[in-house]
Amino acid sequence: QVRLQESGPGLVKPSGTLSLTCAVSGGSISSNNWWSWVRQPPGKGLEWIGEIYHSGSTNYNPSLKSRVTISVDKSRNQFSLNLSSVTAADTAVYYCAKVDTTMDLFDYWGQGTLVTVSS
Amino acid sequence: AIQMTQSPSSLSASVGDRVTITCRASQGIRNDLGWYQQKPGKAPKLLIYAASSLQSGVPSRFSGSRSGTDFTLTISSLQPEDFATYYCLQDYNYPRTFGQGTKVEIK
């Protein structure tokens, strides 16, 4: 069973860069799957941020594309999210998730990590 | 981007009730839609994929259907553990977009 675990700072200063890592266990990040980031502001709905394939191919949400970089580290079986020039509007629970190849939907999720943007 | 308009935003229901939640896509998305359940403090859980296919391990009281660009999640007999927020997600094209969510509360 695949397990995902987010890690990173819980507090980021405005105009700074939010950096998170998702460690994958119970499966290989080099499998035929896309790996994704989704966020959820407190009390609000879900927003897809972007995703990456082990080859390094990416897809990003146009609403965030200018500020987002998703990368993969196959040697550590993990992938990462960088979001630059953050504001209070980027305060959210950030989830990493695996995209099932057949269903093309998120079937495994991390537990989520709250990132607060504040000085 | 495809907009997913979900309704209602919230509803109150009793145990045993039949509950229906709808998502309307702003354009045709074939059957490329899933339904998720989210409980407070937890990650979403996949219930339905391809509009009407039940994910493994999900109780059969959950079902999904499609009529054109309208998609419906039905809970045939609401159970105490079903009180949660439900989201649709289109995977027809990028960016992937979610509905706004429907919170199912106890009446």
Side-chain angles (χ1 to χ4, degrees):
Chain A
Q1 171 142 339
V2 174
R3 300 187 72 169
L4 300 98
Q5 176 74 54
E6 306 90 349
S7 61
L11 181 65
V12 180
K13 293 188 186 313
S15 77
T17 297
L18 180 159
S19 296
L20 296 174
T21 294
C22 181
V24 178
S25 59
S28 172
I29 203 163
S30 295
S31 61
N32 185 28
N33 296 104
W34 288 79
W35 305 90
S36 194
W37 289 96
V38 175
R39 71 179 183 177
Q40 183 171 39
K44 296 188 177 180
L46 298 159
E47 180 181 32
W48 175 74
I49 299 170
E51 61 192 31
I52 191 165
Y53 196 69
H54 61 78
S55 63
S57 295
T58 53
N59 294 301
Y60 295 134
N61 193 323
S63 68
L64 299 168
K65 187 173 183 177
S66 64
R67 300 192 292 129
V68 171
T69 302
I70 298 175
S71 59
V72 64
D73 186 339
K74 289 183 284 188
S75 66
R76 295 186 176 187
N77 217 40
Q78 63 186 33
F79 62 108
S80 299
L81 168 70
N82 276 5
L83 181 66
S84 63
S85 304
V86 297
T87 69
D90 295 310
T91 294
V93 174
Y94 286 77
Y95 294 99
C96 58
K98 169 184 161 289
V99 181
D100 177 86
T101 301
T102 301
M103 297 184 289
D104 199 28
L105 291 167
F106 313 121
D107 59 346
Y108 289 98
W109 297 67
Q111 85 280 4
T113 187
L114 174 63
V115 179
T116 301
V117 178
S118 174
S119 55
Chain B
I2 296 173
Q3 293 186 8
M4 302 302 298
T5 303
Q6 189 172 338
S7 61
S9 57
S10 66
L11 65 89
S12 295
S14 301
V15 172
D17 284 353
R18 181 181 183 89
V19 169
T20 299
I21 299 167
T22 298
C23 262
R24 174 169 291 174
S26 59
Q27 66 180 72
I29 60 170
R30 302 181 308 196
N31 283 334
D32 296 340
L33 181 123
W35 287 98
Y36 288 84
Q37 176 193 68
Q38 186 180 34
K39 296 183 178 180
K42 299 295 186 181
K45 172 187 173 185
L46 180 64
L47 301 175
I48 300 285
Y49 64 95
S52 60
S53 295
L54 194 66
Q55 172 69 334
S56 175
V58 174
S60 59
R61 63 181 179 272
F62 291 94
S63 64
S65 64
R66 170 200 170 195
S67 176
T69 59
D70 290 343
F71 297 83
T72 300
L73 173 70
T74 299
I75 309 173
S76 60
S77 178
L78 198 66
Q79 297 302 300
E81 60 268 31
D82 301 336
F83 292 95
T85 301
Y86 294 83
Y87 294 92
C88 62
L89 168 65
Q90 68 82 16
D91 61 293
Y92 177 74
N93 68 7
Y94 292 109
R96 300 176 188 270
T97 46
F98 291 90
Q100 304 95 315
T102 296
K103 186 173 184 179
V104 177
E105 299 176 299
I106 300 173
K107 193 171 188 178

